[in-house]
Amino acid sequence: MRMTDQMRPTSYHRVAKALHWLIAALIIAQFVGGKFMTHLGLGTDEKFFVYQMHKSFGFIILGLSLYRLYWRLTHPVPALPTGMSKAEKAIAPITHWLFYGFMITVPLTGWLYVSAQSGVDTKIFFLIPVFHFPVPESDFWRGAFDNAHSALATAMIGLLVLHVAAALKHHYMSRDETFLRMLPAKEGATGRIAIPAITGALVAVAALYLVVMLVWGEDDHHGPAPTDERTAMEQIGQTSGDPHAWSLLPEESYVQLTGSAFGAEKTVHIDDVAAEIVLDLDHPEEAGAIRARIGLASLDSGEAITNDELKGSGWFSVAEYPAAMFVSDEIIATAQGFVAKGMLTIREVSQPIDLPFTVTMEGVTAVASAEVVVDRTTFGLGGDGAGVTPQVTVTLHIEAEPAR
């Protein structure tokens, strides 16, 4: 039997009201918090915490939205006010069903995005592990899901603004009970107190959001290094005229960084390596020098979010300091191979480094392998947070041929 307007309740059920206001508050907090976490210069530990909390509340919203959809399908809702125009009556159900679509698809696309991030575990409030969808772990899919998540979230907030405007219009202009029937009680002082309070809170949130956007500007992503700095770094080349000079083979040479972040091992590959090398393999003390430039813009962890973090201002600050430098004018022979005593410079911070390495000859090609543990905090990388271990293992694979 079709339910008539007379058979419908005059107000929403208290469960529907609780779900409405709880989900609304969480959505607004998630949107504003999402902008905060991508625009504020958070440290690594803070950013990890905020991202995990953002994901956790996203799952809460998804669960609550699915339950609210079930409640909506199984419980009658109040009839629309009789004074509403035909256009308003046609738009109202479309708006509500669009909201259900957004409340479910926004967290789902976020879930798909983190599923495309290799090595990034998700635990609700750091306690409950969540499975990841079997989606390809690639930049294409990460970008597609990230763009979809952002676009849907923005569209949902736009719809929310229209929804709030319509509710206020019903209360202040049409003077019907559309807004009041979603409050804990329709009569008495509830409406006189609650509605202005809600309006003021929304205005305050909007003002705070605008301040963040105006003050902190663009997202915390970083483009290529300035051309003049990059050009200066690329001036490192072959050392001509020295009989013990070596020409580095850039396609075969790389640097690898390995460390532990939040309980998981992370490996970063850097393939932009240039160097001037002078080395007499038989008498390194007489002819031994290295000038190496490591292009940090090429670093790749296999995870877009980690790459952005490492290139950001809290770590290597690649936009301002596009390269790390290692300079050694003293190389000594040891029982195991060689040690290059020099200075490693990152972000204009220089620290002495003893770099042990071995050299094997493959025809005319010298293959050098090196490994050293560096304390990242001495270079001001990542701060002192406990989430990332201070010790980072630096592994180098260098191939070179005699310079001609």
Side-chain angles (χ1 to χ4, degrees), residues 234 236-238 246-255 269-277 292-295 298 365-366 396-401:
E234 288 175 350
I236 291 181
Q238 299 178 10
W246 296 84
S247 177
L248 182 132
L249 304 178
E251 296 82 4
E252 309 298 332
S253 303
Y254 61 85
V255 176
H269 189 87
I270 303 173
D271 59 12
D272 180 11
V273 182
E276 292 179 344
I277 304 171
R293 192 265 304 149
I294 303 166
S298 69
T365 301
L396 297 92
H397 178 90
I398 304 296
E399 297 192 18
E401 294 180 348

Side-chain angles (χ1 to χ4, degrees), residues 254-270:
Y254 61 85
V255 176
Q256 184 172 287
L257 311 177
T258 305
S260 178
F262 306 100
E265 183 176 281
K266 300 287 184 178
T267 300
V268 177
H269 189 87
I270 303 173

Side-chain angles (χ1 to χ4, degrees), residues 348-371:
E348 296 185 348
V349 177
S350 298
Q351 297 289 340
I353 295 291
D354 287 351
L355 181 65
F357 66 96
T358 61
V359 177
T360 58
M361 296 300 299
E362 298 180 0
V364 297
T365 301
V367 180
S369 299
E371 183 174 295

